[in-house]
Amino acid sequence: MIIIRTFGVILLLLGLFLAYGLSKDSRLMLFGSKIKADVIGIDSVKNKRFGYVHYPILQFNYKQKQVRLVKDLSSINPKKVPTHMEVYYEEDIGISDGFTYIYAIFSIMSIIMIIFGIIAIRTKYPH
């Protein structure tokens, strides 16, 4: 009984931790602006495992200011560099790709962990 409740608490905490990590993307999709950014270059970073990782350098106008930043959320193929990218941006929060399949998978995992954690904690067990 104590083992199952401990497992439930661990599942609940893991689910909440995962949901907290996803909250930045959620806030950006709700409160950020969807912007079409121009890709003006590539920033190549030496990586121990993969050799070099290539990140796009984005430039766009936001609230009458020109913003230039490196989108280090995901790497791109330097041979197939897109000219434009759709991103969500907010000055105080940062930049996000929006609703991607990875975001959907981790959201579902978070919800399932929270539900099963609550079920494991609240279930009555015979003595």
Side-chain angles (χ1 to χ4, degrees), residues 88-101:
Y88 288 91
Y89 180 73
E90 175 64 38
E91 254 178 332
D92 299 328
I93 304 172
I95 191 167
S96 172
D97 286 336
F99 194 76
T100 61
Y101 68 93

Side-chain angles (χ1 to χ4, degrees), residues 40-74:
I40 60 170
I42 297 175
D43 184 24
S44 298
V45 179
K46 180 94 170 122
N47 190 334
K48 291 180 184 177
R49 179 186 275 174
F50 303 114
Y52 280 96
V53 181
H54 307 284
Y55 299 119
I57 301 172
L58 303 178
Q59 180 175 329
F60 54 90
N61 292 326
Y62 181 75
K63 293 185 179 179
Q64 309 301 329
K65 292 190 290 187
Q66 188 173 17
V67 179
R68 184 180 292 181
L69 52 91
V70 176
K71 186 181 137 217
D72 57 355
L73 302 172
S74 60

Side-chain angles (χ1 to χ4, degrees), residues 66-127:
Q66 188 173 17
V67 179
R68 184 180 292 181
L69 52 91
V70 176
K71 186 181 137 217
D72 57 355
L73 302 172
S74 60
S75 62
I76 60 171
N77 185 354
K79 296 176 184 173
K80 298 179 183 178
V81 178
T83 57
H84 303 290
M85 296 179 95
E86 298 267 334
V87 294
Y88 288 91
Y89 180 73
E90 175 64 38
E91 254 178 332
D92 299 328
I93 304 172
I95 191 167
S96 172
D97 286 336
F99 194 76
T100 61
Y101 68 93
I102 294 173
Y103 179 81
I105 290 170
F106 281 115
S107 296
I108 292 168
M109 285 174 49
S110 170
I111 291 168
I112 290 172
M113 284 179 176
I114 291 170
I115 289 171
F116 282 129
I118 291 172
I119 289 172
I121 292 171
R122 303 221 8 138
T123 303
K124 304 263 190 254
Y125 300 100
H127 297 285

